[in-house]
Amino acid sequence: MSRTVQGARVFHWPIRVYWEDTDAGGIVFYANYLKFFERARTEWLRSLGLGQHKLREECGGMFVVVETHVKYHRPARLDDELVVTAHLSEMGQASMTILQQVLSKNERAPASPAELLCTGSIRIGWVDATTLKPAKIPKNILEVVKQ
Amino acid sequence: MSRTVQGARVFHWPIRVYWEDTDAGGIVFYANYLKFFERARTEWLRSLGLGQHKLREECGGMFVVVETHVKYHRPARLDDELVVTAHLSEMGQASMTILQQVLSKNERAPASPAELLCTGSIRIGWVDATTLKPAKIPKNILEVVKQ
Amino acid sequence: MSRTVQGARVFHWPIRVYWEDTDAGGIVFYANYLKFFERARTEWLRSLGLGQHKLREECGGMFVVVETHVKYHRPARLDDELVVTAHLSEMGQASMTILQQVLSKNERAPASPAELLCTGSIRIGWVDATTLKPAKIPKNILEVVKQ
Amino acid sequence: MSRTVQGARVFHWPIRVYWEDTDAGGIVFYANYLKFFERARTEWLRSLGLGQHKLREECGGMFVVVETHVKYHRPARLDDELVVTAHLSEMGQASMTILQQVLSKNERAPASPAELLCTGSIRIGWVDATTLKPAKIPKNILEVVKQ
């Protein structure tokens, strides 16, 4: 059973669009937003003291993605400067859901509001590092993440 | 308004897992299933006579992904031989939804049933090739796709 | 000390260009040719009975790329049907060099000669599967590969 | 005819390794170093006032990669913090060669020297933005880049 998390902090991470991220449509290839979301989640966890090595070595496991739901509103383009957010929205014993957005910082009109390009709801589950089987999220992680 | 499509043909496309598809967890990186899904959708459209050049040159537009919903059930690994399906499930005037699965062909036990690794629901919208703005799906495409 | 291999068989592998392979220049992103080369090398080894599992489980190691040299002659585009070749050119005790080409099959003029798009010289070294340290290529592999 | 450039400034760009960059060998997938090199080249050009939009809109063209030569010395791993360098080494009328390195910042022993993981020699050519044909590098770019 998972419960909604109220008032969780919103984490922000800047990302620049390079050639590698685009496709022949002239825009960011849609699968690559999952990469942008993951970079922001990784940095969000690191900002909480939960780097990849710590998770694996001290907590004995890692998070794996079990479900993604992404909506594409407007395209990002080569060289765009984006901000990707991460924000805990639901929390269960073995998984949690992070809401994420990709926003465009308009460099040519910095005073104008950021445009929403893409939204994602990413559910990640905890697995044992050795068996890769689902397991309960360790308590010390739960406590840190909820803050 | 979109409506459910009954009894649509299920298209199958084989995909082999290479090093490029995997990550340090030893499994296929989850964002890459979107690539596998797209390869199968592209080949499904081609099998209906709707190659990328035809869409653009004769129909004046292209499909873009507007929403993805993916569930990850079991991991695929290096060298696995997969089958990816594509199957029209909903159809509107400007977009349609394709249900897709990634199944594992167990080469060591070919008689055993294929394992379901990943399911996706991918909504694609039609856009004008020049303006990239949403537009009604051309009738000749609708007719072919519904078969 | 490595020696030139004369008269080695040229292996061919077909590859289709999908959206995932392209960039905003409208062409295949140059780093992706390394993926195309690797798919062809993997299938070349498989055609010799040297699949990834066999290499690891029976031979106790794997090949890793130690050097790449790639020249880009002409761009490939979305939906192009390519042929990628692999061809052993040098052989040492711990590494070997494979020459590779990406050729374009012109679907609209199938009788015209294939265009050369890209050439690569890829040196791969054998490493122990456990320590990941360089090691001598097992004899049974050498014998099969030289054929 | 191209000539060697002496004493060019070495540009540095930090890069973090994420899951997307790794493969099932537990290390960074070798093709992805080309992405790292490109991010550093892009930021090097931007630091000289030569952003992608400026190149295209004011100079009427763009740089494309025509040849890459990469040596892989030691693997980078998940979560590693890397420094990627870019450094002009040769300059011709229509192309130039940039030498690049990927170095590992050892976070656990910050006083120890950075390890060299990968070296690349990347030749980029100037092409007209409309025709995509090779062209002479505009003078204002040459002058800025040589500094």
Side-chain angles (χ1 to χ4, degrees), chain D residues 1-23:
Chain D
M1 206 188 70
S2 73
R3 58 177 195 72
T4 303
V5 176
Q6 303 287 355
R9 190 171 65 102
V10 178
F11 179 82
H12 294 75
W13 187 251
I15 282 176
R16 176 74 75 165
V17 176
Y18 297 110
W19 283 101
E20 66 187 84
D21 304 310
T22 61
D23 70 18

Side-chain angles (χ1 to χ4, degrees), chain A residues 74 81 83 102-106 109-117:
Chain A
R74 279 185 187 78
E81 214 175 340
V83 174
V102 178
L103 301 156
S104 173
K105 282 172 64 176
N106 190 336
S112 64
E115 267 196 325
L116 179 61
L117 305 183

